[in-house]
Amino acid sequence: MNGLRVVPTWRHGQERLYVCLPDGGNVAWYDRETARVNLLRDDREGEVLEALGPFLTGPVTVGPPPVPTPAELARLTLHPDDDLAPNRPGEALLIALEREPGPAHRLRPDPRRRALTAEQAAGGALDRLDGAGWRTLHSVPLPGGDRIHHLVIGPGGLFAVHALPARRQRVHVTDPLVTLGRREPLPLLRRVRADADRASYALTAEVHAVLVLVDPADVTVREPPRSVRVLTDGELPGLARLGGMLKPADVEALHAMARDRATWTRV
């Protein structure tokens, strides 16, 4: 034994194995996803590989940590309270329900829970686009108490996504009105467009508006709404087929900008 110990940790949803000295100082870390051992001390390479031996499952690259990109540097300088990336789908609703859960027994279900289920369904579908080079932020706060349910950035551009619970209901869309079942129609498309416009202003880039109907029984769109895509949650994976708008470096730079809470304070 060389005195080094291996400590597993999780960062941004990915597992890293840190190799530490007896006093706790780091000399290297192993990133399983990239199969790379990042050395902070070149003179300890042999000892590091010996300590990591039981954890290595194939060939690895060994070398100093890669130089961070500008987007990575911007992310690293964010205070945790200002970083929106850890937000869960429906984050604002989850917090509201924790603070004020409402009566234990109600004649009708709490509408916040239906809205939460819709945001979680849409958010889960969007998060699965990550492997195709897309990045998603959830519950992006806007001044005045408004928020963008999901902001999606990827090769096909930027999208402000609003999730609407429509479980087993017929939906009629006649710009700017959206009607669920027998309810009164609401001018929801105006809000969806406004959210996208505010995001465009904050990011100085074109952001497209998307209304996602979650689990509807039927959807009727009399004519395509102005500047708004109307999709079901089952159609969200189709966004991954869009491309040709942003390069990977542009996606990361915009994501780094969007995840900073300060970006949204003046829109």
Side-chain angles (χ1 to χ4, degrees), residues 147-159:
R147 62 190 176 88
I148 297 172
H149 291 180
H150 314 282
L151 180 72
V152 195
I153 307 169
L158 297 91
F159 300 87

Side-chain angles (χ1 to χ4, degrees), residues 15 17 30-37 49 51-61:
E15 185 183 20
L17 299 175
Y30 171 46
D31 189 326
R32 288 186 186 274
E33 184 171 336
T34 60
R36 179 181 177 87
V37 176
L49 292 177
L52 286 172
F55 304 95
L56 303 179
T57 57
V60 296
T61 303

Side-chain angles (χ1 to χ4, degrees), residues 135-231:
R135 302 290 179 264
T136 303
L137 296 170
H138 307 290
S139 272
V140 176
L142 300 173
D146 294 331
R147 62 190 176 88
I148 297 172
H149 291 180
H150 314 282
L151 180 72
V152 195
I153 307 169
L158 297 91
F159 300 87
V161 178
H162 185 97
L164 181 66
R167 181 173 174 78
R168 298 176 182 175
Q169 297 183 77
R170 295 179 179 273
V171 183
H172 295 266
V173 180
T174 305
D175 196 1
L177 302 176
V178 177
T179 306
L180 289 179
R182 298 180 180 179
R183 301 182 194 176
E184 288 293 319
L186 296 174
L188 183 58
L189 296 189
R190 290 176 184 165
R191 176 187 170 180
V192 177
R193 278 191 286 261
D195 288 347
D197 288 344
R198 295 174 78 177
S200 296
Y201 180 83
L203 300 172
T204 62
E206 184 178 12
V207 179
H208 305 281
V210 178
L211 174 65
V212 174
L213 307 170
V214 178
D215 197 21
D218 182 66
V219 180
T220 301
V221 181
R222 296 196 180 279
E223 59 183 53
R226 176 178 60 84
S227 305
V228 180
R229 293 172 183 249
V230 178
L231 305 174

Side-chain angles (χ1 to χ4, degrees), residues 65-117:
V67 176
T69 65
E72 289 170 331
L73 287 173
R75 181 180 71 241
L76 292 172
T77 60
L78 276 182
H79 188 280
D81 291 342
D82 295 327
D83 189 357
L84 302 177
N87 281 6
R88 300 160 292 179
E91 181 76 25
L93 289 171
L94 285 165
I95 293 173
L97 286 165
E98 288 172 2
R99 290 176 178 172
E100 297 182 23
H105 302 285
R106 299 173 61 110
L107 293 177
R108 295 183 179 180
D110 190 329
R112 295 177 299 173
R113 296 195 178 277
R114 290 198 299 270
L116 174 60
T117 299

